[in-house]
Amino acid sequence: MTETPSIDPNSAYGKFPVPDQCVDVLVVGAGPAGIAAAMTAAQAGLSVMLVEETPVSGELIGLDVPFFFGGRAAASVQNQMRMVEQIMQARPGIADAFEAGVDVQLGTAVWGLWTSATGQNVVPMPVAGLATEERTWLVGFAHVIVASGTRDLVFSFPGSDTAGVMGARAFRSLLSDYNAFNGRRLIILGTGVVATQTATLALDTGLAVAAMIEIRNVPQAPDTLIAPLIARGVEILCNTAPLAALSTSEGLRALQVGSTSGIMTETREIACDTAVIAVGEVPSVELLDVAGVPLVMDPTRGGYVPVCDGQGITPVPEILVAGSVTGLAADPVAQGQAAALAAAGSCGDAPPGIPAGVDYSYRMDWMRTLLDNGAQDTLACTCEEITRQALLDVAPPHYLGCSGGRIARRSLATLLQDGPPDHDQLKRLTRVSMGPCQARRCREQIAMMIALSSGVDMTQVPLAGYRIPVRPLTLRAMAAMDDPDTHNGWHVWFGIPTQWVPYADVGTPREAERLGEDTHL
């Protein structure tokens, strides 16, 4: 006889909203891998939805979502319909997917992903949370192919929060996808492949590239990529680091740079309206993390990447991956096709492997140089106004007014006495990486600072966990999904004895009486 499980009436079991619609395959991201996956799945006779968050609203671009736009978007991004037309022109494969019967959702973010994995049995089926500016809804799926690509690797230096300092991925998006880049004269930080691609794109579209800044003594890209840029008038400054972004009321006006060799006695100002951080990019794994897909730190692939096989199959049966979210994709189209065939139950040839291509020591050298040449009051976390010194001191948020006593004697060094470094622990103690940008501007550099300060390898610094929603949502949008049944049995107990608040104190006397609390305290 099967024993009927007891259900906690206060849990979320049985209260999860029913999805508005269901598809066989949900594809997240309309880059080369995502479009190939959607087309292949549709040709296999499956119902397919392709979700692409571009074009995001002007408000989200202002929050640097999903890339580090740095205040360089033109006013035209406020015209959503115009931006949709621009995206369709920039990515003709989207129209092909639409013609193939794919349900294409542009300007739509996937903010949550749930499967029936262990610990998530409250979910009636695998579902994704979707949102536009107007609404929020749920979509059920049999399989999801995450082809979310990469995002910007961001470094801070004095004045880097000035409008005009931005990421290479954001620059490419504004220029190629939106046709809405508001700048004319650039400086590129870095001389690797990402940097040379950025400089070439800028020159090809009529922009001026004043210089490329390199902390090492030689350019990092092959000479076949560097020589054409020099021939086009780009100055390559090696053994040089950015010291400060100099600004006016309108944004960046110049970048102050100085030598990284020996004592820095001479500095130089280079006029520009944009400084593009092009040292590298990072796989966008936030959806995979919240969905429970195991991630592994692989420096040769750019950071944390999902555990998967040659067809993109992950340990979570419903979730597959394709493209640069897996690292440096050798062939994103082939990866997308392979993942779609796997979702359809077919076994195609495994695409070419993922090459080991990222020199992570280069990123660490940039971090080390910026720490050596920048003031300790430089912001490490812009949203929460956490300086480098406050991070190393493990200081509580300044607006709490806490100082003295045991807190004053706390530091990263004393914290390490209790165990290995942990980014999530620093989040709780200092609020670093907890701002509205959801750590897109500081996550990697904070992890690098932890590694350098504690003397451990980057692979030993755990990934700071992501939380749903992985994209900003308005409270109004969230409330529209709320089911009154979910309120039944809600407690104010958070699991920590010192945080218990009696029911009577929060205005629930009936619950207080049921538990025997004194409602007259």
Side-chain angles (χ1 to χ4, degrees), residues 52-56 61 65-69 72-74 77 83 86-87 90-91 150-152 166-182 198 201 276 281:
E52 169 57 48
E53 64 183 329
T54 304
V56 300
I61 286 177
V65 178
F67 309 126
F68 182 33
F69 292 105
R72 271 296 164 257
V77 299
M83 290 300 101
Q86 176 61 36
I87 299 304
R91 305 187 197 180
T150 61
R151 58 178 177 80
D152 293 304
M166 66 183 307
R169 185 66 185 83
F171 173 74
R172 189 163 70 244
S173 180
L174 285 181
L175 209 59
S176 300
D177 285 339
Y178 292 85
N179 190 23
F181 173 69
N182 187 22
T198 302
L201 177 62
V276 182
E281 296 176 3

Side-chain angles (χ1 to χ4, degrees), residues 458-482:
M458 271 298 299
T459 58
Q460 303 303 308
V461 180
L463 176 71
Y466 291 93
R467 293 196 176 183
I468 293 172
V470 299
R471 290 291 185 267
L473 294 178
T474 64
L475 291 177
R476 180 171 61 182
M478 293 295 291
M481 289 182 54
D482 199 11

Side-chain angles (χ1 to χ4, degrees), residues 91-114:
R91 305 187 197 180
I94 293 177
D96 295 337
F98 181 81
E99 291 295 330
V102 175
D103 181 359
V104 178
Q105 299 285 336
L106 295 181
T108 303
V110 181
W111 53 266
L113 201 59
W114 297 266

Side-chain angles (χ1 to χ4, degrees), residues 3 20 41 46 60 68 93 188 233 238 250 252 261 280-281 285 328 332 378 426 431:
E3 183 177 349
D20 292 53
L46 303 177
L60 290 181
F68 182 33
I188 310 294
C238 295
E250 297 181 354
L252 186 66
S261 57
E281 296 176 3
V285 297
L328 290 180
T378 299
L426 284 175
R431 285 196 58 83

Side-chain angles (χ1 to χ4, degrees), residues 423-443:
H423 194 161
D424 274 332
Q425 187 178 26
L426 284 175
K427 286 170 63 177
R428 297 182 182 98
L429 294 173
T430 69
R431 285 196 58 83
V432 72
S433 302
M434 293 186 70
C437 86
Q438 297 173 301
R440 274 176 287 272
R441 290 182 286 212
C442 70
R443 178 180 292 269

